[in-house]
Amino acid sequence: MVPMDVDIEQNVAVIMNILSEISLTSDVDTIVCLENLNTALANVHPKQLQPLLSSIRFEKVFNCLNTDDDEQTKLTIRILDKLYNCCTPEVIGKQHVEDIINGLVHPKSEVILLCLQQIFRVCRAADDEKAALELDSGKFLHLILMLCNLLTNDLSLASLAIQILSEFISSCPLTLDEPRVRTALQCAIDHDSCSRFRVYELAICVASKSEKHLTKVAFLIDQLMSDLRTTNDVLIMMNVLECLSDLIATTQGLNYLENNNVTQFLLAQLCSPDPNMALAIPGVITFFGNLGVHHPANFVANYPQVLPFLVDLVTQQDSPAMAMVIDTVSVVSRSLQGKQLILSLEDGYANRLCSFFHQVIRGYESNLRVRAMLAVASLVTPDRDSLSISNELQSFVVAIDSRLVPTLLAISRQPFVELRCATHRIYSALAAWDWGLRLMASAAGFQEYLLDRSTEKELEGKNSKYEVVRSIVDAPSSAGGFTARFLVHLQNYLKEGPLYVQVEHSIATEDL
């Protein structure tokens, strides 16, 4: 236990006394007691109270919520929040769970939010602290039904209820075999469109855990897919696509959607769109973009016709859409087939994509610039048998920027290590190609930059630049791009290691 001085001991004594004696005999006395308790709690560190409160119930304080007095309610919530946070999740699950569950039907949303926050604490700590809600199966089912009912409440409560239900159902999938739970979820779906998509959000959270979990919520996923095919409401369609885009990030989600012909349905919408659903097309493209990011091999093999539509997104000047295009190109281009798919774009789309990368690398927000440069590095990094696409790859890189290395050199001298490291990745990738080595060797100032260790101060930058040197030295045809003398300097750099610091010797003199 943390040692306590006299003042702290007095405050602790006040806290323990009020917790044992607080009553509702007089509204005035109750407010005074609560104010004194709140003051005492503010003067004691939670860790000093934790062992003392581990066996004490707070039901008398909790009962102070049974009032129409807003001031008393707010004060009681503040006090309970402090008291609960002095307890470990394990203690919450054992000592206070019944009070907290009773609070879920309180007429004031602030009280419900307090209770949900504590239940969520126990859920999240269950693996680490052996915390659990000590409830029999009947009370646990009752809690699940209460949480389902909260899905029709305001957003802050519904969002937390979704997270808790996701934890409960993920750890106990059999919960969804209970007819009353299914009925409660169906009632929420039928309540209104907001509640409907909250249930779908819950289903996606659970389905993302594993194939077994997806099976348990398949009846909800099926309704989601039915909404996709039957709705004429663009807003509903866009919300459905957002849910499906999250689901497709997992292997089991992709398999389920493919087996139920959802991907084929959306592909048909993309290639022969219904004029009434034109506004939903960006959502369809985003869906396939997520598919490309998370399942690049599947994207290249089964949905190559989507890439031109994806490139169309770059004209929207929307950061999330632009990031998705960049990330899709980055992961798809890791394989030879993916590189071939990108390089085989028709001239109009290829030019648009190259122009997009050129603009982003030169002047957008840092996050997009880094991602764009890493995508170019991914495209340029050779794959097995990629010598066959050397000429096409060179043309594509030159189309992005005819002065790519000078452009990168300017970025390499900026005071942002993440940008500098991204340029290093491209240099390392270029070193695998004869034409790449020539681009670097012919760029004014590149050789001086590479030998100048003072350009990098952080460890990440030093290691990243060292890999550039290694890539050039190890390149089988590096002699064709650089002079033998320069290569000797690089070999010395390599021997000295990434953290080498040149020591300058000086001679002290004194006037005689």
Side-chain angles (χ1 to χ4, degrees):
M1 185 183 298
V2 179
M4 294 186 287
D5 59 30
V6 175
D7 290 339
I8 293 176
E9 287 181 351
Q10 291 175 347
N11 283 307
V12 170
V14 170
I15 293 168
M16 304 305 288
N17 184 56
I18 295 175
L19 287 176
S20 63
E21 296 184 359
I22 191 169
S23 67
L24 298 176
T25 55
S26 164
D27 290 342
V28 175
D29 289 344
T30 300
I31 288 287
V32 172
C33 284
L34 290 173
E35 288 175 342
N36 291 338
L37 179 55
N38 189 49
T39 300
L41 284 169
N43 292 318
V44 181
H45 194 280
K47 285 191 177 296
Q48 293 169 319
L49 280 175
Q50 190 175 91
L52 300 173
L53 298 179
S54 61
S55 59
I56 295 178
R57 294 281 304 277
F58 305 145
E59 72 270 24
K60 291 183 179 180
V61 180
F62 205 92
N63 287 338
C64 293
L65 293 169
N66 299 326
T67 179
D68 294 326
D69 188 327
D70 287 343
E71 180 186 353
Q72 180 173 314
T73 301
K74 291 177 182 178
L75 183 56
T76 304
I77 289 173
R78 287 200 299 272
I79 290 169
L80 284 170
D81 185 54
K82 292 177 182 177
L83 288 171
Y84 287 142
N85 286 323
C86 289
C87 301
T88 64
E90 185 177 4
V91 170
I92 295 292
K94 289 180 179 178
Q95 297 273 115
H96 308 290
V97 62
E98 290 193 10
D99 289 336
I100 288 171
I101 290 177
N102 290 335
L104 293 178
V105 294
H106 196 279
K108 293 189 174 170
S109 60
E110 297 90 345
V111 176
I112 300 175
L113 182 61
L114 169 72
C115 297
L116 288 174
Q117 288 169 339
Q118 296 308 315
I119 295 173
F120 189 57
R121 275 186 69 203
V122 178
C123 291
R124 294 299 296 269
D127 292 337
D128 299 330
E129 303 186 32
K130 298 181 180 178
L133 297 172
E134 295 201 350
L135 296 169
D136 59 38
S137 58
K139 289 183 178 179
F140 181 71
L141 175 60
H142 178 61
L143 173 58
I144 293 290
L145 294 173
M146 293 172 75
L147 292 168
C148 290
N149 291 335
L150 287 174
L151 296 177
T152 61
N153 216 305
D154 66 64
L155 180 60
S156 60
L157 300 183
S159 296
L160 203 46
I162 288 170
Q163 294 182 70
I164 296 169
L165 283 168
S166 176
E167 295 285 343
F168 282 158
I169 296 172
S170 296
S171 60
C172 186
L174 293 177
T175 304
L176 289 176
D177 291 337
E178 167 59 50
R180 282 175 290 177
V181 174
R182 290 191 172 216
T183 299
L185 290 173
Q186 189 61 53
C187 287
I189 286 177
D190 296 337
H191 185 267
D192 59 31
S193 60
C194 288
S195 302
R196 171 186 294 259
F197 282 96
R198 288 168 185 169
V199 176
Y200 290 157
E201 181 184 344
L202 169 63
I204 300 301
C205 287
V206 175
S208 298
K209 302 290 183 180
S210 71
E211 188 169 353
K212 176 183 176 182
H213 286 87
L214 188 151
T215 302
K216 289 297 180 182
V217 293
F219 70 102
L220 297 173
I221 303 295
D222 290 346
Q223 290 190 59
L224 180 63
M225 294 188 300
S226 176
D227 285 351
L228 174 71
R229 292 188 171 96
T230 59
T231 186
N232 291 318
D233 187 316
V234 174
L235 185 58
I236 290 178
M237 170 73 94
M238 292 174 70
N239 286 327
V240 170
L241 288 169
E242 185 176 347
C243 291
L244 294 177
S245 294
D246 292 336
L247 179 61
I248 207 167
T250 64
T251 300
Q252 69 270 16
L254 172 62
N255 291 339
Y256 195 80
L257 295 180
E258 286 188 328
N259 291 338
N260 285 276
N261 298 315
V262 170
T263 50
Q264 291 80 353
F265 172 79
L266 290 176
L267 193 60
Q269 287 292 312
L270 199 59
C271 297
S272 302
D274 180 345
N276 296 323
M277 301 303 290
L279 292 175
I281 293 303
V284 178
I285 298 172
T286 299
F287 170 87
F288 283 107
N290 280 348
L291 192 158
V293 168
H294 295 286
H295 312 283
N298 188 301
F299 180 87
V300 171
N302 299 320
Y303 310 101
Q305 63 270 53
V306 174
L307 189 59
F309 293 98
L310 200 60
V311 174
D312 279 335
L313 285 181
V314 303
T315 62
Q316 294 187 9
Q317 300 298 305
D318 176 65
S319 290
M322 293 165 71
M324 188 188 62
V325 173
I326 293 169
D327 292 346
T328 302
V329 170
S330 184
V331 296
V332 166
S333 63
R334 291 172 189 168
S335 68
L336 175 61
Q337 293 76 13
K339 295 181 198 297
Q340 290 172 328
L341 175 62
I342 293 167
L343 296 176
S344 64
L345 282 168
E346 294 179 6
D347 287 346
Y349 289 107
N351 292 339
R352 198 178 310 163
L353 186 60
C354 290
S355 176
F356 166 67
F357 275 101
H358 175 84
Q359 293 173 18
V360 173
I361 290 172
R362 278 179 170 263
Y364 273 74
E365 59 193 73
S366 292
N367 179 49
L368 284 178
R369 295 176 76 190
V370 169
R371 290 161 89 157
M373 286 188 281
L374 293 179
V376 172
S378 176
L379 180 65
V380 176
T381 299
D383 189 79
R384 287 177 300 178
D385 304 321
S386 56
L387 285 176
S388 60
I389 60 170
S390 177
N391 293 334
E392 294 90 337
L393 196 55
Q394 180 182 4
S395 298
F396 198 88
V397 167
V398 171
I400 292 175
D401 192 331
S402 59
R403 301 185 72 255
L404 179 63
V405 177
T407 297
L408 296 176
L409 270 176
I411 299 172
S412 297
R413 294 189 173 99
Q414 292 183 11
F416 307 106
V417 66
E418 65 276 6
L419 287 174
R420 299 198 303 273
C421 288
T423 66
H424 298 161
R425 290 279 295 275
I426 298 181
Y427 299 145
S428 295
L430 288 172
W433 306 94
D434 286 342
W435 53 266
L437 290 164
R438 289 195 297 272
L439 284 176
M440 291 188 287
S442 62
F446 178 79
Q447 297 183 34
E448 293 80 1
Y449 160 77
L450 204 56
L451 294 175
D452 183 3
R453 289 181 179 269
S454 68
T455 60
E456 297 300 333
K457 307 298 182 185
E458 296 92 344
L459 177 61
E460 183 183 1
K462 291 176 183 288
N463 287 333
S464 180
K465 190 173 183 181
Y466 184 77
E467 289 306 315
V468 178
V469 174
R470 184 198 301 277
S471 298
I472 294 175
V473 170
D474 291 347
S477 55
S478 59
F482 296 99
T483 65
R485 182 179 179 183
F486 177 70
L487 290 174
V488 169
H489 286 306
L490 291 187
Q491 288 165 352
N492 289 335
Y493 191 119
L494 208 58
K495 291 176 183 177
E496 292 164 350
L499 307 182
Y500 175 79
V501 177
Q502 185 174 359
V503 179
E504 295 185 5
H505 297 283
S506 60
I507 300 174
T509 61
E510 83 176 7
D511 295 332
L512 297 176

